[in-house]
Amino acid sequence: MARRTNSIGHRTISALVLLALTFTFSSLTGAQTRPPAATSPRVPAKPKLVVLLVVDQMRGDYVDKFLGQWTGGLKRLVEEGAWFRDAAYPYAATETCVGHATISTGAFPATHGMVANAWWDRKDQKMVTCTADPDPSVKNTGYAGAAPKGADTAWRMAVPSFAEELKFQTSGATRIVTFSLKARAAITMAGHKADAATWFDGGAWATSSPYGTLHFIEEQAQSHPAKADFGKTWSLSLPESAYWYGEKALGAVPPDGWDLTFPHPLRGKNGRR
């Protein structure tokens, strides 16, 4: 019985050795006759334009809630782009200046330094805005003859923006242009080395001396002045039945000089703008 077992064992080992040799020979033959590896995919061309759009005060659930009413713009971004749903703010102050600086730099407030829209400056013993620049040589300037007050820059932002990094890595070939209704949004998105940072101030487009002015913005400001809307009426864009909440819903607070009821005639600062 033992001899039979040994005999079977020898035959089994011999078969395994033969199988191994056959597999090795087949592998070597296959390696010799295998077609060359496919060439790596072509690297796509670098984009010529990058647009970063921030919608202030727009909660994440608004996309699900109002997507059915959208016809383009944001709807196209959702349906044809990537949508990251699992997002959060790992800091307390979700204000305009803080959020825009976080988006533009990829850093948190403890690093980029923009901790609020305004705060108490211990050195100067006064309240300062996040974009206020103490340099006496810095002045805000306006387009189309406007004369805004103040001096706003990214002086208080402690790290460069993503757009600035692109500018650095392309030896200055990248152009940075930002627009917003507020200085703290346009400036924090632009950073320190923008070609143009433009915001709305006192009924006109404004910038500051470190950024300078651009001819095409001047042309736009002159040909499309904000004051051209004076006398028009702001009315609902959809049928009244399409809106989920009433104009006087709980928690609705109108801006100074407005009431809650549409339409809003633009007639000046007499309680109904």
Side-chain angles (χ1 to χ4, degrees):
M1 189 69 177
R3 291 180 182 175
R4 185 178 178 184
T5 304
N6 289 339
S7 178
I8 294 175
H10 286 304
R11 289 199 299 270
T12 303
I13 293 172
S14 298
L16 290 174
V17 171
L18 180 61
L19 180 61
L21 290 173
T22 303
F23 178 78
T24 303
F25 178 76
S26 300
S27 300
L28 291 174
T29 304
Q32 294 174 355
T33 59
R34 184 178 300 163
T39 57
S40 58
R42 185 177 181 181
V43 179
K46 295 181 180 179
K48 294 183 178 180
L49 176 66
V50 176
V51 178
L52 186 56
L53 174 66
V54 181
V55 184
D56 203 348
Q57 299 187 15
M58 182 173 177
R59 296 196 327 234
D61 62 298
Y62 287 175
V63 179
D64 288 308
K65 184 175 291 186
F66 301 115
L67 181 60
Q69 295 181 338
W70 298 345
T71 58
L74 293 177
K75 182 178 182 180
R76 180 182 178 186
L77 293 178
V78 172
E79 294 185 342
E80 299 181 22
W83 185 3
F84 183 67
R85 294 170 176 264
D86 190 14
Y89 299 95
Y91 53 84
T94 56
E95 296 182 342
T96 301
C97 192
V98 186
H100 284 68
T102 298
I103 293 171
S104 71
T105 65
F108 292 148
T111 300
H112 62 60
M114 307 300 249
V115 296
N117 288 341
W119 59 79
W120 178 259
D121 189 300
R122 293 179 180 177
K123 180 181 178 181
D124 294 335
Q125 291 293 295
K126 65 178 183 179
M127 288 294 295
V128 296
T129 64
C130 62
T131 58
D133 194 323
D135 187 341
S137 66
V138 175
K139 302 292 182 182
N140 286 352
T141 58
Y143 287 99
K149 297 179 180 180
D152 295 283
T153 70
W155 176 78
R156 299 180 188 275
M157 198 161 77
V159 296
S161 67
F162 169 70
E164 283 184 280
E165 286 295 336
L166 286 179
K167 196 178 187 74
F168 296 153
Q169 294 180 24
T170 58
S171 300
T174 299
R175 300 185 67 193
I176 306 171
V177 178
T178 63
F179 290 89
S180 180
L181 292 179
K182 296 179 180 179
R184 57 178 173 259
I187 290 175
T188 51
M189 295 300 291
H192 311 75
K193 303 294 184 180
D195 296 276
T198 309
W199 58 90
F200 203 68
D201 184 9
W205 292 108
T207 184
S208 66
S209 50
Y211 300 112
T213 58
L214 289 179
H215 183 64
F216 81 92
I217 303 178
E218 177 67 27
E219 289 184 342
Q220 176 71 16
Q222 290 186 12
S223 59
H224 298 81
K227 294 181 180 179
D229 288 334
F230 183 79
K232 295 182 179 180
T233 300
W234 179 19
S235 58
L236 296 174
S237 59
L238 298 175
E240 189 173 352
S241 59
Y243 292 89
W244 288 46
Y245 308 104
E247 295 173 329
K248 297 183 179 181
L250 181 64
V253 179
D256 183 31
W258 296 76
D259 58 25
L260 290 172
T261 307
F262 277 90
H264 296 295
L266 305 180
R267 301 287 188 268
K269 297 181 180 180
N270 57 355
R272 290 180 64 84
R273 298 188 182 188

